[in-house]
Structure formats: structure tokens, C-alpha cells
Amino acid sequence: MGDPKPTIADVARAAGVSKGLVSFVFNDRPGVAPQTRARIREAAAAIGWRPSLSARSLSTRTSFALGLVVRRDPRVIAADPFFPAFIAGVEMGLTGEGRILVLSVVPDADTELRTYRRLVADSRVDGVFLTDLRYDDRRLALLAELGLPAVMIGHPDRSSAFPVVNLDDAHGVRQSVAHLVGLGHSRIAYVAGEPQMVHGRRRRDSFVDAMTGAGLHPDRVVDTDFSAAAGAAETHRLLDAASPPTAIVYASDPMAIAGMGVVHQRGLRVPADISITGFDGTDLARHVYPSLTTVVADPAAWGREAARTLLQLIAVAEAPNLELPAAELLVGASTGPPSHADRTPYPAHYKETPCVDAL
Amino acid sequence: MGDPKPTIADVARAAGVSKGLVSFVFNDRPGVAPQTRARIREAAAAIGWRPSLSARSLSTRTSFALGLVVRRDPRVIAADPFFPAFIAGVEMGLTGEGRILVLSVVPDADTELRTYRRLVADSRVDGVFLTDLRYDDRRLALLAELGLPAVMIGHPDRSSAFPVVNLDDAHGVRQSVAHLVGLGHSRIAYVAGEPQMVHGRRRRDSFVDAMTGAGLHPDRVVDTDFSAAAGAAETHRLLDAASPPTAIVYASDPMAIAGMGVVHQRGLRVPADISITGFDGTDLARHVYPSLTTVVADPAAWGREAARTLLQLIAVAEAPNLELPAAELLVGASTGPPSHADRTPYPAHYKETPCVDAL
DNA sequence: ACGGTCGGCTAAACCGGTTTAACCCACAAG
DNA sequence: CTTGTGGGTTAAACCGGTTTAGCCGACCGT
């Protein structure tokens, strides 16, 4: 009954050894006779002892926790499809027992940095995930200074000592452009995400590259904050232009869906009048009408591998960079050839992008 | 410099007192002379000492962390607008320094219960948030047995010793029905969420009540798992019926948006042929076309108040139940009168539900 | 027979706080 | 002048592990 919870001393006594030896055994240290080892394990199992995490934390200065600090506008966070899936993936990577995830959502840069400082000051985490990397990201210097292990989700703008787990999202953007060009579009707009975010700008850059590579002018590129509201507003602006686009590539599914709403609201048809593509491959994108052509990434896998990498980094002080399968275009019904008048003069020499089927 | 981080002993020495007294001061215990108190605080500030969390955890058996275990199907979690906002709100409620959030995402009931057990076995958290309460929820008994403080997000199916922080979502559902009835609808369907979840079924029940209260038959009620896919599938089924509904009330925005997709796909118009309402009040709902009539709740406020309540419960072993402002209907463009043939014989005696304006 | 090495193990210090028992001293009451 | 009271303070035990220094005995080579 209400036994006051066994301690390592109880196990030691039961096995007839010293506390230290019990500790050795449970930390897989060499220098313990096999039979003694077995006897200790047996005694521990019989008593039902498990080492106290708090005590271990105190003497080893380890928290057995991983941290994720998310800096996002509260308005945007609710719609973002990335983090929940990413976190679910992290959980998978933590399966090996013992480690948990500490999550913090902060509104601005100062709070973000303060949060990291607190996390290490209180040694609440053994390492962190760096998501939404920005240009001149102050976190990189801070974490290096604090000596906190970290793994970067996506490539940073500069080289850094932290390992990278990357998922080539630019590939999906290039495929989107190729797909649209193949359909005969030439006036293609891009509604980008936050330009301060490395991945936001990289996707935009790859759009620009793909366009120029196709001999097209990448004008009609606008930045947003990833929100549905911004997506809608920019869509209005694009359509108000003297020579509106015949296709719009959005940097996220929520923006694309909001953009589609604007197009419909204006009495235009998708894809007859305007083709639309998104980014994320959300479940919802498959169920709007017309179903969204979008780029599917696998944020859960990203989280899982990031967790594994971080655990390895913490364990052996180094971990290799990891490249995940690239984001792929999933062609839906929201893209089609432009109306005849808008066709490119020469039939597209781009071959149709292969369609990745949904599961 | 690389000073090995000051400890309480350093402070004691600097202030010319014993370690114990320093501890007393920093725990606001009575029985310390005011001037001594000041001297100790001064010395601590000068040295830059902050008590070690690990050491405190060990001796006080407190983790200074709150836990949230989310059990959701990975497929649904990405689309769910509730948790990110709720978590952001929790963060607000934690502002008072010191406490952090531990998050765990689990796929099934067994893992869920195991996770709670581990959290207390390792005393990782001082209390937890209970979301997505289910009927005969095994967590209630488990947590009571483990003696872990908890606060329930929404009312449970049975009485429990844990405090409740509630947000009346049923009110919004009733408003939805009243709004539709007021427009002249009588064949109103309801696409519910998970029937095992208390709030899922309560919303459904309040739909049924509102319908019978209006003298209508609440047939056309279907259960789902909250996913967009299920929302779409059930919409198809409803529309295939011999006497299809003229309005559909959905238990979530993603389902409503997916349902709207199905309606459009079938060549029907919203709201001319079918009216649609959602639930959540997501940003995206305002930007689809036509803009969704939906019920807006404030999950961030919910999280904030839940956090405060939990902190109070932990601090003084009891906390009052809290009732937040009810979820309110926000009328958009997705609802309108049914086509003439489908009007209710007697003009509606329900007055129009007041429209809550978006910010 | 003897010094040296090495595997196996223990005692004790240590991590950095909290908490309890006891002590000292000043002051009030008897 | 004694005794009691109680505020202010300290020393030491304690939380439950990890880690280091060192001890003991067996086995080795010469």
C-alpha cells in the first residue's frame, strides 16, 4: 500500500550492494560482474523501482526534455497546418521512452529569445528544434552562446554548426510552375509567405527561378504573412491589375483557399478563368471545390526525423544533416489550361508534371 | 567569465547568513527580519543568483510544469483549429513566470493513459488539462487515483472533483438553428463530430433540442470524426437522400468548408439551394465563398482561463468552476432563405438571430 | 615469494536546494 | 531574579540519484 516509493537505497539493500553499483547498472556502465548486474536488475524489478527523474536531473544536469518555441502571430497559428502535424511527428521520434516535449508559443522576437534563455537557465530542455528560420536569425548566435544543442528545420541563410533536417519544398514550387506552364499559362502570380522567413523567401525565389527558367517574367509576386486574410487581400489586388494573372501560386493552402474564395466571389471560375495552386497538401484542400492542386509535404516525417537527429546530437554531440523526400505536386482540379486568348503563343514544351496520387 | 554558476551557498556567504535563511527569503516565508531579508535579496541580485529548478524540483517534488495530452487522429490534428489557439492561450495564462507547458500527442486511449502515468511517475507535471472529454472517460478515475490536479475543459458527462472551465458551445448551435428556422428552413441536417466526445454529443443534442423546440423533426443527424473527409462524405449522403436538407449545420469549420465543396461540386449553389453553417469561427471561414456563417468561440481565452484555474488549483488545492462567454453565431453569406418551394408553410415566428460582427 | 595490474565493488562527496530541530537572545510576566 | 515566550537564525538532515577516490583480492610475470 502507500509505500513511500522505493529509492535506489532500497534496491541496493535488497541486492546487497552499494547505491553506486545500482546506479552503474542502470546506466549501462562497464565494470560490473554479469551476475551482480542480473541480481540488481532483479531486485529493482521485484521492488518496482524506477530512478527518480528529478534526482537524475539534479546530478546530471539533464532535463530529458526537448523544446520547441513557436513564434507566430496568434491569428495565424490557428490556421497553420504545419505545427500540429510536426509535433505529432516529433512525438513519434521520441518513442524511445523517457524524453518529452516542452512547447512554448510566443508572440514576438524578444519574448522568443527570453524564452530560450529561461529554458537553459532552468535547464528545462536538453535541446531545441529551430523552426521558421529567419534571415539574420538571432537565435543561432544565442543558442551557440548558450551551448544548447539544436537542430534546424530547413536550411538557414548562413552556415551554422547545428545539423539541418531539410525537406526540399522549393521542388514543389518548381513543379507547380512547370505544371502551369505546361498547361499554357504565362501570367502566373505568386502569393508568398513571410519574406523574413528563410523558407518563405526560398519558395518565392524558386518561383522566380522557375519562371525565368521558363522564359517568363516573374512580376506579380507579393509577400504576405501566411494568413488567409492576407491571401484574400493580395488576390484582390492581383485581380485588379490591368493585366491580371491567369494562374496564382500560393505559399500555403489556407491562402490558396481564401484566394479561391475571392476568385469565386468575383464571379470568375476556377480553373476556367484562373488556375490556383496551394502548398501544404492539407486534408481540406482535397475537399474544397474544385479540389486544390497543391504541394504535399510530410511535416510529421519531418518532425520524426528532426527528433531523432536532435536525440542523436544530444547523445553523441554530433549528427549528420538529413534530407527528406522533397515536397511533391499533387494535381487537383483547380488548375487547367487558360482561356484561349491567354494561351502562350507556342504550345508548351514542358512535359506535364507527374501526378502524385493521394493515399 | 566562466564562473561555475552561483549557488545558494554563495549567496548565503555573501550575505553572511545560512543557506536556510536564503531559502526562506526566496520562498516568502515569515520569520526573517526585514533588514536581513533585504540584505539577502541584495546579495543575490549582486551575485546574479537564481535558484536551481532541478534542485527545487527534487526537494519539493514539484515540476513547475503543466501537461497537455492530446489524443487525436494524426489525420485530424493538422486541420483542427482548436488546439493551436488553445495552447497559445495557455501560454498567456502562464505569464506569471516559472511554469511551462509539456505537450504530448498520442494516437490511442492506451497510450494516452500510459502517458499520464509516466508524467506523474516522473513527476513531470504538477497538473494537467483535460480536453476532449469522453463518455466514461477513464482519465478521470486515473487522475483521481494518481492524485494529479486537473482542470476539465468543458463539462464532463458525470460529476467529478476537478474544476471545470466551460464555454457554452451549445448556445451557438441553438443560434444556428434559430437563424436557419428564422430564414424559413425546416429540413435542416446536422453533421456532428465524434459522438464519444462529450462536447461532440452535447452539440448534437442541443441541435436536436433546438429542432424539436421549433416543432421540427431532427432526423438527418449524422456522426463523423470531425475530419474534412468525413464531412464531405456525409454531405454526399445527405444530398443523395430522397428529401435532401435545405440547410446543413456542421460541427466544425473544416467539415463545413468541405461540405460546401461537395455542394458546389454537385452544381448546387450556396445559399440559394442549400444553406451551410460551421463551427469554430476560423479565419479561413471568413474568406471562403460564400463566407461561412459559423459559430465563433474563443479557444485562446479558454486556454488562458484554464491555465489560471489550474495554477490556482495547484496552489491552494481548490478552484471554482468558471463559465466563459458563450460561443456566438456569426452570420455570413452561406445562409439564406430556402427556395420558395421549400419554405415553411407559416412564416417563421423566430426573430432573426443578432449578427455578431467580425472584428 | 613479491610487486604490479586489473576487475569488482564501496564509501563518501556531490548536485543545489528545502525543511526540521534546536539554539540564542531579548524581553515580558510573575 | 527567575522563568517563560517567541522572533530570528543556524546546523544538519534530507530529497534521490551520480560520480570519484580508493580499497580489496585475484591473477600475472619473473
Side-chain angles (χ1 to χ4, degrees):
Chain A
M1 300 308 114
D3 311 327
K5 212 183 215 179
T7 80
I8 195 173
D10 298 322
V11 177
R13 198 174 314 117
V17 296
S18 70
K19 294 195 319 177
L21 211 51
V22 178
S23 177
F24 282 176
V25 168
F26 274 76
N27 288 15
D28 289 320
R29 293 256 281 252
V32 182
Q35 50 183 359
T36 313
R37 194 178 292 271
R39 183 156 41 92
I40 290 176
R41 285 220 175 269
E42 232 167 82
I47 293 183
W49 174 78
R50 291 176 39 78
S52 149
L53 207 70
S54 315
R56 257 152 78 73
S57 293
L58 178 57
S59 47
T60 62
R61 306 162 176 297
T62 302
S63 62
F64 305 98
L66 268 30
L68 174 59
V69 179
V70 177
R71 166 181 157 200
R72 280 284 178 105
D73 183 316
R75 186 172 50 106
V76 177
I77 187 80
D80 188 273
F82 176 80
F83 282 104
F86 179 81
I87 289 171
V90 166
E91 197 78 16
M92 314 245 65
L94 259 38
T95 48
E97 304 300 310
R99 233 122 187 169
I100 59 171
L101 178 69
V102 166
L103 177 68
S104 195
V105 180
V106 301
D108 56 71
D110 286 341
T111 312
E112 180 182 38
L113 295 177
R114 230 190 353 260
T115 300
Y116 282 107
R117 285 188 185 284
R118 284 194 67 87
L119 287 179
V120 315
D122 294 345
S123 61
R124 296 222 94 137
V125 297
D126 303 324
V128 292
F129 301 96
L130 283 173
T131 60
D132 287 346
L133 284 165
R134 292 159 192 268
Y135 287 89
D136 281 317
D137 202 313
R138 290 157 66 196
R139 292 176 294 174
L140 295 181
L142 175 65
L143 294 178
E145 173 200 333
L146 294 173
L148 186 66
V151 44
M152 300 186 290
I153 310 307
H155 286 290
D157 59 332
R158 63 194 57 191
S159 79
S160 152
F162 300 123
V164 178
V165 176
N166 192 53
L167 189 157
D168 181 11
D169 45 7
H171 179 249
V173 176
R174 284 191 296 272
Q175 281 183 316
S176 300
V177 173
H179 169 61
L180 291 169
V181 170
L183 287 170
H185 291 272
S186 59
R187 299 207 305 275
I188 308 174
Y190 185 69
V191 177
E194 284 213 33
Q196 297 107 309
M197 291 190 188
V198 176
H199 68 271
R201 203 190 300 181
R202 190 181 48 238
R203 286 186 212 166
R204 193 188 66 182
D205 290 347
S206 65
F207 170 82
V208 169
D209 290 350
M211 287 290 279
T212 46
L216 299 173
H217 282 298
D219 31 16
R220 305 188 181 83
V221 172
V222 294
D223 290 321
T224 74
D225 60 1
F226 271 123
S227 73
E234 292 302 334
T235 304
H236 272 301
R237 198 158 306 156
L238 286 170
L239 296 180
D240 283 338
S243 169
T246 61
I248 307 180
V249 176
Y250 291 84
S252 81
D253 276 0
M255 287 202 297
I257 292 173
M260 203 153 85
V262 167
V263 171
H264 284 147
Q265 180 191 344
R266 288 175 160 240
L268 300 172
R269 290 155 306 160
V270 176
D273 298 314
I274 295 211
S275 284
I276 283 188
T277 74
F279 193 107
D280 284 331
T282 56
D283 215 34
L284 188 53
R286 275 199 261 294
H287 296 287
V288 294
Y289 181 77
S291 69
L292 195 61
T293 293
T294 183
V295 175
V296 297
D298 190 345
W302 211 344
R304 192 187 58 228
E305 296 309 320
R308 289 184 181 156
T309 298
L310 186 50
L311 289 177
Q312 183 181 347
L313 177 65
I314 292 168
V316 301
E318 61 176 352
N321 290 354
L322 190 60
E323 190 69 29
L324 297 172
E328 294 281 345
L329 185 69
L330 171 64
V331 175
S334 68
T335 46
S339 66
H340 195 68
D342 289 320
R343 292 270 164 86
T344 43
Y346 301 101
H349 53 283
Y350 286 84
K351 57 180 181 303
E352 182 73 4
T353 308
C355 170
V356 177
D357 270 320
L359 292 180
Chain B
M1 311 294 118
D3 310 327
K5 213 183 216 180
T7 80
I8 196 173
D10 298 323
V11 177
R13 199 174 314 117
V17 297
S18 71
K19 294 196 319 176
L21 212 50
V22 178
S23 177
F24 283 175
V25 168
F26 273 76
N27 288 17
D28 289 319
R29 292 256 280 253
V32 181
Q35 50 182 2
T36 314
R37 194 180 291 273
R39 183 157 40 94
I40 290 177
R41 285 222 176 269
E42 231 168 83
I47 293 184
W49 173 78
R50 291 178 37 79
S52 147
L53 207 70
S54 316
R56 258 151 76 72
S57 294
L58 177 58
S59 46
T60 63
R61 308 162 176 296
T62 303
S63 62
F64 304 98
L66 269 29
L68 174 60
V69 179
V70 177
R71 167 181 158 201
R72 281 285 178 103
D73 182 317
R75 186 172 49 104
V76 178
I77 189 78
D80 188 273
F82 176 79
F83 281 104
F86 179 81
I87 290 171
V90 166
E91 196 77 17
M92 313 244 66
L94 259 39
T95 47
E97 304 299 310
R99 234 121 186 169
I100 60 171
L101 178 68
V102 166
L103 177 69
S104 193
V105 180
V106 301
D108 57 71
D110 286 341
T111 312
E112 180 182 40
L113 294 177
R114 231 191 350 263
T115 300
Y116 282 107
R117 285 187 184 284
R118 285 194 66 86
L119 286 179
V120 313
D122 293 347
S123 60
R124 290 276 207 182
V125 296
D126 302 324
V128 292
F129 301 96
L130 283 173
T131 60
D132 286 345
L133 284 165
R134 291 158 194 268
Y135 287 89
D136 281 317
D137 202 311
R138 291 157 65 196
R139 291 177 294 174
L140 295 181
L142 176 64
L143 294 179
E145 173 200 333
L146 295 174
L148 186 66
V151 44
M152 301 187 290
I153 310 307
H155 286 290
D157 58 333
R158 63 193 57 192
S159 78
S160 153
F162 299 123
V164 178
V165 175
N166 191 54
L167 189 157
D168 181 11
D169 45 7
H171 178 251
V173 176
R174 283 191 297 272
Q175 281 183 317
S176 300
V177 173
H179 170 60
L180 291 169
V181 170
L183 288 170
H185 291 272
S186 59
R187 299 207 305 276
I188 308 173
Y190 186 67
V191 177
E194 283 213 32
Q196 298 107 307
M197 291 190 188
V198 176
H199 69 270
R201 204 189 298 179
R202 190 181 48 238
R203 285 187 212 166
R204 193 188 67 183
D205 290 349
S206 64
F207 171 82
V208 169
D209 290 351
M211 286 291 279
T212 47
L216 298 173
H217 283 297
D219 31 16
R220 307 189 180 83
V221 172
V222 294
D223 290 322
T224 73
D225 59 2
F226 272 122
S227 73
E234 292 303 334
T235 304
H236 271 301
R237 199 159 304 156
L238 286 169
L239 297 181
D240 282 338
S243 169
T246 61
I248 306 181
V249 176
Y250 292 84
S252 81
D253 277 359
M255 287 202 296
I257 293 173
M260 203 155 84
V262 167
V263 170
H264 284 147
Q265 179 190 348
R266 286 174 161 240
L268 300 171
R269 289 155 307 160
V270 176
D273 298 314
I274 294 211
S275 284
I276 283 189
T277 75
F279 193 106
D280 283 331
T282 55
D283 215 35
L284 188 53
R286 277 199 259 294
H287 296 286
V288 295
Y289 182 78
S291 69
L292 195 61
T293 293
T294 183
V295 175
V296 297
D298 190 346
W302 211 345
R304 192 187 59 228
E305 295 309 321
R308 289 184 181 156
T309 298
L310 186 49
L311 290 177
Q312 183 181 348
L313 176 65
I314 292 168
V316 300
E318 62 177 351
N321 289 355
L322 189 62
E323 190 69 31
L324 297 171
E328 294 282 346
L329 185 68
L330 171 64
V331 175
S334 68
T335 46
S339 67
H340 195 68
D342 289 320
R343 293 270 164 85
T344 42
Y346 302 101
H349 53 284
Y350 286 84
K351 58 180 182 300
E352 183 73 6
T353 308
C355 170
V356 178
D357 271 319
L359 292 180

